[in-house]
């Protein structure tokens, strides 16, 4: 048995999509799929002969539109998964902190990591953690919309930092071309929380971020609340 693992990239929103599968049973999951790269993802799943079991979202994104519903239309048995505190009606599974999903011989453990949004969920698979927008490489998610809270995010990242140091960190985005980090690296080098930054200083740093709103926020959020089912986009 071995894990098929394919990190994929969407350049407009700098989003990483992750495809994972059991090489023996061919059962697969996809994390944070993007509408613009729907055809690429469908093509890869079919080319590898995989059976898509779960379509997982780390949270309701504001910077891109998901392809969850279009993927489910193609792979009818797949279930859309979001954390229990996301305001969506389209999910087949609203997963709770500490619950697990299985594909083949592999287990995914859900870890509630609110702060960027109130519904953010990270997913731990063996020596990998998929952190969405909670923990980024050398940074963290913003907390100024969708129920964001810097105080909650500090607690969430502190929880992620209890994972083994060698755990690989795979975020939903990176704007500098980096593909992976580790819990140890982020404990030491993360510019927002690394080096034993306390909660008050972290909150000050997050609240001092000067960021424009995502260009697609007014389209992406309502579209993602229905898992991308009512939005027509040009396939990439």
């Amino acid at each position: 048995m071995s894990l098929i693992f394919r990190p994929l990239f969407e350049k407009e929103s700098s989003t990483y999509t992750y495809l994972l599968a059991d090489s023996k049973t061919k059962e697969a999951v996809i994390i944070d799929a993007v509408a613009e790269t729907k055809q690429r993802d469908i093509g890869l799943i079919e080319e590898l002969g995989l059976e898509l079991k779960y379509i997982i979202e780390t949270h309701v994104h504001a910077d891109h539109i998901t392809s969850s519903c279009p993927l489910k239309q193609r792979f009818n048995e797949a279930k859309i998964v979001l954390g229990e505190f996301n305001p969506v009606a389209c999910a087949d599974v609203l997963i709770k902190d500490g619950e697990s999903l299985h594909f083949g011989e592999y287990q995914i453990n859900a870890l509630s990591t609110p702060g960027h949004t109130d519904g953010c969920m990270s997913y731990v698979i063996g020596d990998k953690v998929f952190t969405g927008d909670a923990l980024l490489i050398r940074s963290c998610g913003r907390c100024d919309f969708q129920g964001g809270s810097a105080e909650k995010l500090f607690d969430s990242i502190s929880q992620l930092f209890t994972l083994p140091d060698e755990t690989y960190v795979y975020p939903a985005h990176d704007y500098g071309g980096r593909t992976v980090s580790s819990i140890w690296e982020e404990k030491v080098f993360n510019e927002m929380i690394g080096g034993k930054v306390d909660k008050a200083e972290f909150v000050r740093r997050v609240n001092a971020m000067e960021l424009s709103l995502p260009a697609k926020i007014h389209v992406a959020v309502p579209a993602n609340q229905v898992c991308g089912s009512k939005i027509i986009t040009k396939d990439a």
Side-chain angles (χ1 to χ4, degrees), residues 154 161 186-190 192-199 201 205:
F154 179 88
F161 281 177
E186 297 311 313
K187 282 182 179 178
V188 176
F189 302 117
N190 190 284
M192 302 300 288
I193 198 172
K196 299 183 179 179
V197 168
D198 65 20
K199 191 173 201 174
E201 174 59 17
R205 292 180 184 185

Side-chain angles (χ1 to χ4, degrees), residues 52-56 72 75 77-81 92-93:
L52 190 61
K53 189 173 182 181
Y54 294 112
I55 302 163
I56 299 171
K72 185 177 174 65
F75 304 102
E77 299 302 314
K79 296 184 183 299
I80 297 172
V81 181
D92 300 299
V93 178

Side-chain angles (χ1 to χ4, degrees), residues 141-193:
R142 62 194 295 169
C143 299
D144 55 340
F145 54 78
Q146 289 179 276
S149 164
E151 290 83 0
K152 287 183 180 179
L153 186 57
F154 179 88
D155 294 340
S156 293
I157 295 176
S158 298
Q159 185 179 15
L160 287 167
F161 281 177
T162 67
L163 294 170
D165 282 352
E166 60 271 20
T167 304
Y168 293 108
V169 173
Y170 292 97
H173 303 280
D174 190 81
Y175 305 99
R178 296 163 296 194
T179 58
V180 64
S181 183
S182 70
I183 291 295
W184 173 80
E185 287 176 63
E186 297 311 313
K187 282 182 179 178
V188 176
F189 302 117
N190 190 284
E191 295 175 4
M192 302 300 288
I193 198 172

Side-chain angles (χ1 to χ4, degrees), residues 19-191:
L19 178 66
L20 303 99
D22 184 315
S23 62
K24 183 177 179 180
T25 68
K26 301 295 186 179
E27 289 186 338
V29 304
I30 195 166
I31 301 173
D32 288 339
V34 180
E36 281 78 4
T37 47
K38 176 187 70 177
Q39 289 304 123
R40 175 202 65 191
D41 299 341
I42 289 173
L44 181 58
I45 292 166
E46 292 180 339
E47 185 176 55
L48 296 177
L50 304 179
E51 176 189 341
L52 190 61
K53 189 173 182 181
Y54 294 112
I55 302 163
I56 299 171
E57 300 284 355
T58 55
H59 61 291
V60 174
H61 301 271
D63 53 3
H64 70 263
I65 297 169
T66 179
S67 60
S68 285
C69 272
L71 285 172
K72 185 177 174 65
Q73 288 168 4
R74 176 62 187 84
F75 304 102
N76 304 126
E77 299 302 314
K79 296 184 183 299
I80 297 172
V81 181
L82 284 99
E84 65 173 330
F85 295 116
N86 286 285
V88 296
C90 53
D92 300 299
V93 178
L94 288 174
I95 196 166
K96 298 179 181 179
D97 180 58
E99 290 186 337
S100 298
L101 302 169
H102 294 83
F103 63 104
E105 297 298 319
Y106 292 92
Q107 176 174 300
I108 305 170
N109 299 311
L111 185 64
S112 181
T113 49
H116 170 61
T117 76
D118 220 22
C120 286
M121 190 74 75
S122 295
Y123 295 91
V124 181
I125 306 174
D127 63 354
K128 301 173 178 61
V129 59
F130 299 90
T131 55
D133 283 22
L135 178 61
L136 304 177
I137 297 175
R138 306 300 188 264
S139 189
C140 67
R142 62 194 295 169
C143 299
D144 55 340
F145 54 78
Q146 289 179 276
S149 164
E151 290 83 0
K152 287 183 180 179
L153 186 57
F154 179 88
D155 294 340
S156 293
I157 295 176
S158 298
Q159 185 179 15
L160 287 167
F161 281 177
T162 67
L163 294 170
D165 282 352
E166 60 271 20
T167 304
Y168 293 108
V169 173
Y170 292 97
H173 303 280
D174 190 81
Y175 305 99
R178 296 163 296 194
T179 58
V180 64
S181 183
S182 70
I183 291 295
W184 173 80
E185 287 176 63
E186 297 311 313
K187 282 182 179 178
V188 176
F189 302 117
N190 190 284
E191 295 175 4

